[in-house]
Amino acid sequence: MTPVTRKVRVRVPATSANLGSGFDTVGLALDYHDELEFTLSADPVNTAAQVMIEGEGADTLPRDETHLVVSTFRRACQTFGLGRVGFILQAHNNIPQARGMGSSAEAIVAGIAAAAAFAQDDELNRDAVFELAAAIEGHPDNVAPAVYGGLTMSWDMETPEGVGSVPIPGGEPLHKGFHTINYRVADDLTAAVFVPDYELSTEKARQALPGQLAFKDAVHNVSRVSLLPAAMNPAMLATGQRQDVNALLFAATQDRLHQPYRAPLMEPSWTLIEKLRSHGFASMVSGAGPCVLVLHHGDAREQLGQLASEELASGHWRVLHLGVDTKGVQVERA
Ligand SMILES: Nc1ncnc2c1ncn2[C@@H]1O[C@H](COP(=O)(O)OP(=O)(O)O)[C@@H](O)[C@H]1O
Ligand SMILES: N[C@@H](CCOP(=O)(O)O)C(=O)O
């Protein structure tokens, strides 16, 4: 197959997964992006990848075939029938790596979306990008918002009933694999991300999780995650229901599945989370950490700045005040 263009630009949002209670399920796209440009070599004999990196990871990321965007782009090119191509990748990275802001999902989505844009002339097939990205990442909660934007809830359709073989009245049988749905987020929702100067790989944070959980802890999280869609968008509440939306956010982000087991791996982050929660803020580990996410309806910059003044003055932390990205990955053919 011949590529439909020689240059593609890709813009992918950072994401915060879990939102406390929704481990491996819930994700939120943030208005904070990496931008990448792929230029195909005009020489068919040259199939090498040349990688240039600016910003986050410029001193640490590899510049060879092991670079995650490169390896994913190669794999997606095979999947979409492009074969092995030579290309220059220019990466402008804002998203810090190994901090819980979905950098690996961003890299995977960027590689797949770019390959799809070289392969097809029409609008980006987001479902195809999501399916392949979730399979590569292994959990869908970051890749879903990176692909679709906004607040997503995802699941792996594999049930004892026999996936794809059970007729759904009036509909298609659900296919095996990852699925996602998108919820609206209220316009006044703000996200503050406290970024520490230390890293924690998602792989290491996953190793800290227990093999089994107490039934009451599972019930706890089911009850909390069920509050999230309304806590993120109170317009979901039935007419007449009145709730303090920030109190609802506080309850919705309580968690007993993963954070307690990971806290010892990120003590400074856990200290900040406990401090902010003791003042009523819905603060939590962003993804697998160590970033700290605070969700709030309304502007809480000043209060958060005061509460975290010690951390911010230490020089070991910075804070990003971000809105929600509602578009997901964007591609542009040049
Ligand atoms: N923009 C990027 N370009 C290349 N590789 C990346 C990029 N972002 C992340 N990675 C790879 O993913 C790893 C971080 O993944 P992970 O531990 O899951 O952290 P995060 O919480 O940021 O997703 C990095 O060490 C690197 O190997
Ligand atoms: N559900 C995953 C989310 C990992 O997010 P990341 O941004 O840290 O990669 C987990 O909690 O392990």
Side-chain angles (χ1 to χ4, degrees), residues 263-274:
L265 298 176
M266 45 181 131
E267 277 173 17
S269 304
W270 195 246
T271 302
L272 178 58
I273 288 169
E274 288 192 311

Side-chain angles (χ1 to χ4, degrees), residues 1-330:
M1 182 194 282
T2 312
V4 299
T5 182
R6 300 233 72 85
K7 197 188 282 285
V8 166
R9 292 192 191 94
V10 187
R11 190 167 186 262
V12 192
T15 52
S16 185
N18 302 328
L19 303 194
S21 54
F23 178 75
D24 269 6
T25 301
V26 181
L28 183 68
L30 300 170
D31 201 3
Y32 201 66
H33 302 84
D34 279 358
E35 293 182 338
L36 303 96
E37 189 174 280
F38 295 73
T39 310
L40 296 189
S41 162
D43 174 3
V45 180
N46 174 14
T47 60
Q50 190 185 334
V51 179
M52 289 176 253
I53 306 169
E54 271 177 26
E56 294 286 342
D59 299 331
T60 50
L61 290 173
R63 282 174 166 73
D64 58 15
E65 295 287 329
T66 64
H67 185 283
L68 189 55
V69 178
V70 174
S71 58
T72 310
F73 179 70
R74 291 266 188 235
R75 183 169 166 177
C77 282
Q78 292 297 340
T79 304
F80 298 136
L82 287 168
R84 191 179 167 90
V85 294
F87 64 99
I88 298 171
L89 168 65
Q90 286 172 285
H92 307 274
N93 295 342
N94 289 310
I95 306 169
Q97 288 110 35
R99 309 286 169 82
M101 291 184 75
S103 75
S104 59
E106 171 276 318
I108 290 168
V109 168
I112 299 171
F118 280 118
Q120 302 144 2
D121 214 358
D122 38 16
E123 219 173 278
L124 183 67
N125 181 340
R126 288 176 194 273
D127 295 347
V129 176
F130 169 67
E131 215 167 290
L132 183 54
I136 293 174
E137 177 85 326
H139 51 91
D141 47 344
N142 292 104
V143 297
V147 171
Y148 298 101
L151 173 67
T152 54
M153 305 242 176
S154 310
W155 72 101
D156 189 359
M157 193 64 207
E158 201 162 13
T159 68
E161 292 99 315
V163 172
S165 62
V166 181
I168 307 288
E172 297 284 318
L174 278 168
H175 73 77
K176 185 174 185 307
F178 293 112
H179 294 254
T180 195
I181 54 169
N182 218 246
Y183 279 99
R184 265 177 221 269
V185 174
D187 290 341
D188 71 345
L189 187 101
T190 56
V193 183
F194 288 87
V195 185
D197 62 3
Y198 69 97
E199 297 183 353
L200 174 62
S201 77
T202 304
E203 195 185 346
K204 190 167 174 203
R206 289 181 88 83
Q207 282 163 9
L209 299 174
Q212 291 194 319
L213 283 165
F215 194 77
K216 65 178 176 21
D217 290 343
V219 173
H220 171 97
N221 271 55
V222 170
S223 72
R224 300 314 194 271
V225 78
S226 67
L227 302 175
L228 261 176
M232 299 290 279
N233 178 18
M236 292 270 300
L237 291 165
T239 321
Q241 276 264 316
R242 291 178 66 83
Q243 286 284 343
D244 176 334
V245 286
N246 280 315
L248 205 54
L249 261 183
F250 187 91
T253 54
Q254 285 177 315
D255 160 58
R256 289 192 195 157
L257 292 197
H258 67 108
Q259 295 181 141
Y261 304 99
R262 291 170 158 176
L265 298 176
M266 45 181 131
E267 277 173 17
S269 304
W270 195 246
T271 302
L272 178 58
I273 288 169
E274 288 192 311
K275 180 161 50 178
L276 297 174
R277 287 195 79 89
S278 74
H279 286 84
F281 281 101
S283 68
M284 65 215 85
V285 176
S286 180
C291 278
V292 171
L293 171 71
V294 187
L295 295 174
H296 192 75
H297 290 280
D299 187 354
R301 284 176 198 225
E302 205 176 312
Q303 268 174 292
L304 291 175
Q306 279 166 7
L307 290 170
S309 57
E310 211 176 298
E311 282 80 3
L312 295 172
S314 73
H316 295 298
W317 292 82
R318 63 193 164 112
V319 62
L320 303 169
H321 293 284
L322 305 172
V324 173
D325 170 294
T326 53
K327 294 186 183 147
V329 60
Q330 300 294 307

